[in-house]
Amino acid sequence: MDVLLAEDDLETAGFVADGLRVLGHNVTHATTGDAALKAATDGSFDAVILDRMLPGIEGLEVLRELRARSNRVPVLVLTALGGISDRVDGLDAGADDYLVKPFAMVELAARLNALARRSSAADAVTRFEVGDIVLDLLRREVTRAGRPVLLQPREFALLEQLMRHAGRIVTRAMFLERVWGFHFDPQTNIVESHLSRLRTKLREGFADDPIETIRGSGYRIRVDG
């Protein structure tokens, strides 16, 4: 696996890079946000390990800029900021996973492997069409009846999960794990608020809501449009 490590603390960077190289991974090290953004943009990496508190461009700004450029490289945020709001901010910015320092190298390696598997599985299908809605993973575009629908990264990811499971119920727990990377319930309305914005955007100019709320169970996209 080719990994970009964006970490300004040289001791931490050395520990992580040495551990990953022992496991057979190739590691490119960047010490600033500017260098990390350039490397991630110019290079081809299987994953990025991104510290939040980088000199220059802050880590989450690097992440937001990558997602704005439709760069879908899996990103694991590695940081000392471990509060619930910090995790939510990181995942909302486009992170695929979030690991708090101090950490065990074996867990970091396992999370990277999980991201790689998830990315490989997601790449198998690049276009979904349900009813009059089309989602293109490569172009990061959504249309409804041919009209473009502009979505934020988390809204796009929510719709992707609904379309991957077309005709089936997607639970709140599934959204939390697959869109935000939470393996627990943070006791916030993060899913509901993002779904509300997604539904508003999909309904603009249309009479019907393509997303059904299945009371007590979850949500489902209408397969008949």
Side-chain angles (χ1 to χ4, degrees):
M1 189 185 306
D2 291 316
V3 179
L4 173 61
L5 172 62
E7 171 63 69
D8 65 311
D9 183 89
L10 297 183
E11 184 177 353
T12 300
F15 170 71
V16 173
D18 289 346
L20 292 178
R21 287 174 180 138
V22 166
L23 295 172
H25 303 302
N26 299 315
V27 180
T28 298
H29 181 210
T31 57
T32 68
D34 304 81
L37 179 59
K38 185 177 188 306
T41 301
D42 296 344
S44 178
F45 294 96
D46 298 301
V48 175
I49 300 173
L50 182 65
D51 184 27
R52 282 190 60 164
M53 295 179 287
L54 290 170
I57 305 174
E58 194 266 342
L60 292 193
E61 288 306 313
V62 172
L63 179 54
R64 291 188 185 98
E65 183 60 27
L66 286 175
R67 298 309 187 224
R69 298 180 185 182
S70 297
N71 189 317
R72 296 175 54 233
V73 62
V75 174
L76 185 154
V77 172
L78 183 64
T79 179
L81 301 175
I84 293 296
S85 62
D86 297 316
R87 294 172 185 261
V88 169
D89 288 344
L91 294 165
D92 267 349
D96 298 276
D97 202 352
Y98 198 102
L99 184 59
V100 178
K101 301 173 183 177
F103 60 93
M105 188 64 213
V106 63
E107 181 180 5
L108 173 61
R111 286 176 180 251
L112 277 182
N113 288 334
L115 287 182
R117 289 194 302 270
R118 190 186 311 168
S119 179
S120 296
D123 287 343
V125 178
T126 61
R127 189 176 187 275
F128 297 91
E129 186 169 354
V130 180
D132 59 358
I133 299 173
V134 176
L135 181 146
D136 190 313
L137 288 172
L138 296 181
R139 293 186 174 87
R140 304 297 290 179
E141 293 175 350
V142 173
T143 60
R144 184 171 188 195
R147 303 180 188 177
V149 181
L150 302 180
L151 301 179
Q152 294 298 314
R154 291 298 163 189
E155 297 162 359
F156 187 96
L158 286 170
L159 181 58
E160 179 187 344
Q161 288 302 313
L162 287 165
M163 295 183 77
R164 284 186 180 277
H165 299 83
R168 292 174 287 163
I169 294 173
V170 182
T171 67
R172 186 174 187 276
M174 290 169 67
F175 281 133
L176 285 170
E177 179 174 353
R178 298 175 189 182
V179 175
W180 281 273
F182 284 137
H183 300 285
F184 62 98
D185 190 339
Q187 299 298 314
T188 71
N189 67 343
I190 188 171
V191 172
E192 292 75 15
S193 62
H194 280 74
L195 272 170
S196 177
R197 290 195 290 270
L198 171 61
R199 296 172 100 155
T200 297
K201 292 179 179 181
L202 289 174
R203 288 190 62 178
E204 188 172 352
F206 297 89
D208 64 306
D209 185 347
I211 299 174
E212 296 180 274
T213 299
I214 312 300
R215 192 172 300 277
S217 298
Y219 303 88
R220 179 171 60 199
I221 193 165
R222 301 178 189 274
V223 296
D224 58 356

